[in-house]
Amino acid sequence: MSQTPQATSEPRSGTDLSVGSIPRHLITFSIPLLMGSLIQTAYGVINAIWVGHGLGPQALGAVTCSFPVTFLFIAVSGGLTMGASILVSQRYGARDYDGVRTVVQTAFWLTLLVAALCFTAGQLLVDRPLHLMQTPAEILPLASSYLKLYLCTTPSMFLLFLLVSALRGTGDARTPLRYQFWALLATAVLDPFLMFGWLGLPRFGLNGTAIAAIVCQIGSVVLLYHELHRRRHLVSPDLRQRNVDGPTARQMLRIGIPSMIQQGLLFDGMLVITSMVNTFGKDATAAFGAASRFDQVTFLPAMTIGMATASLAGQNIGAGKFDRVRQTFRWAAALSVSITFPAACVAYFFPDFILGLFISDPVVTELGRSYLRIIAPGSLFFSIMFASNGVINGAGHTIATTFFTLIGMWIVRVPLAWWLSHRWNSVDGVWWGITLGFIGGMFTSLGYYLLGRWQKPTRATPPRPSS
């Protein structure tokens, strides 16, 4: 095993977020993240429109039931690569550029190994969570077939997450945006051709969306890697080097495993919540799928600002500038709430217009309307939670944010959703449980931040002196 080298050579790419205007960094860093998330959500919206109107409520319900499983794979990938992103940002802030290369090289091979294990497990066990969610019988075969094919994106998805996370750790959110845009645009264009057999192509139905995702995601990873290699970028993995640095790998896993557990808790919670919704019938399942598409748009600003906050906090912690970290939280919370509020208002006051994009059934529309109006106010609490979680994750305290998830999901959301839905005999109880879970998660995260425990970060390199 190699030892992590310490060097102070200048990097070829990246942005030092430990100096300069904090709100400017947050905004300029968040905009590409937000645009990338909006592009991804726009694709999800377009895909749901094609599926809902072109293939019907059963196909939309199959995608809805498949989402918790696909979320688990996204979550495992995000959790693993979060460890790489945090270490990259801290070492970049400390100007340990050889340390950055060591993190990326180690993370590359570790990510490939975990991706292979997840892909194999997914193909063998994919039907179990669908049965656990009590997926309606008329939806189950379609959901199973779609999932098995879609999970073929696992290796390329994991590698793409790694490259994007490493770039963000160096303060570069623009390079990933280009590849996200073209990949999702290509997928959105290819979807209907493969779903409906346009221009003489085979008609694959719902599976056409999975095939389009496989093709375009592989292309995106190959092209992004090629650009990084051509530019000799600081975070470009060297495929010729297969050595893994032991201390770096262990530290990455210490940060990444709690994050993966956190995402696993979210996954299990989503299984239970979706199962509760499914007990109220296929109309409730379709309403949940349609309404949650726009719901994702409401949450995007908070999530992207939270990711930007983690990168800013990580670099400033690496530089030993804790006062800038506190300023980062205050600006992040203010920006997140100010952007989330208008989106929540749209969801609350114009639910019928939003739902009409996906579905025309009046029963489904009524159920979706109730969901949007109950969830919309909760997004404000959600936005504050992601600002404080960003600082805590930037310090590498992913065990703490895992605990917050445990409280918000399993101590508040799931029990209340079950109790209220049974007491009222209405799916509205599930919607209220989700909102109250956001409130519980915010208070625990904010309390931990205010205690200042994040000032003792998880890191391997000493901070450089503040300037």
Side-chain angles (χ1 to χ4, degrees), residues 288 291-292 295 367-376 431 434:
F288 187 38
S292 61
D295 195 32
L367 293 169
R369 181 190 305 125
S370 176
Y371 173 89
L372 288 173
R373 285 183 168 164
I374 292 171
I375 294 294
W431 311 154
I434 294 172

Side-chain angles (χ1 to χ4, degrees), residues 245-269:
D245 183 71
T248 299
R250 286 192 292 272
Q251 189 180 27
M252 194 180 307
L253 291 173
R254 280 199 300 270
I255 297 173
I257 287 177
S259 182
M260 285 188 275
I261 293 173
Q262 176 184 357
Q263 302 303 331
L265 291 171
L266 286 172
F267 166 72
D268 289 339

Side-chain angles (χ1 to χ4, degrees), residues 2-8 91 96-103 245 248 461:
S2 63
Q3 298 299 317
T4 304
Q6 302 292 321
T8 58
R91 293 186 181 187
D96 175 16
Y97 304 125
D98 282 351
V100 171
R101 295 185 185 94
T102 300
V103 170
D245 183 71
T248 299
T461 54

Side-chain angles (χ1 to χ4, degrees), residues 71-143:
F71 173 82
L72 174 63
F73 283 76
I74 293 171
V76 171
S77 175
L80 179 64
T81 57
M82 176 182 286
S85 180
I86 290 170
L87 292 181
V88 166
S89 64
Q90 290 186 4
R91 293 186 181 187
Y92 191 91
R95 297 182 180 174
D96 175 16
Y97 304 125
D98 282 351
V100 171
R101 295 185 185 94
T102 300
V103 170
V104 172
Q105 199 65 30
T106 299
F108 179 79
W109 296 110
L110 193 60
T111 299
L112 272 181
L113 174 62
V114 176
L117 294 173
C118 287
F119 171 74
T120 303
Q123 294 300 318
L124 295 175
L125 305 172
V126 71
D127 286 340
R128 292 189 181 181
L130 293 175
H131 287 291
L132 289 173
M133 286 187 291
Q134 302 180 52
T135 302
E138 60 268 36
I139 293 176
L140 182 59
L142 192 60

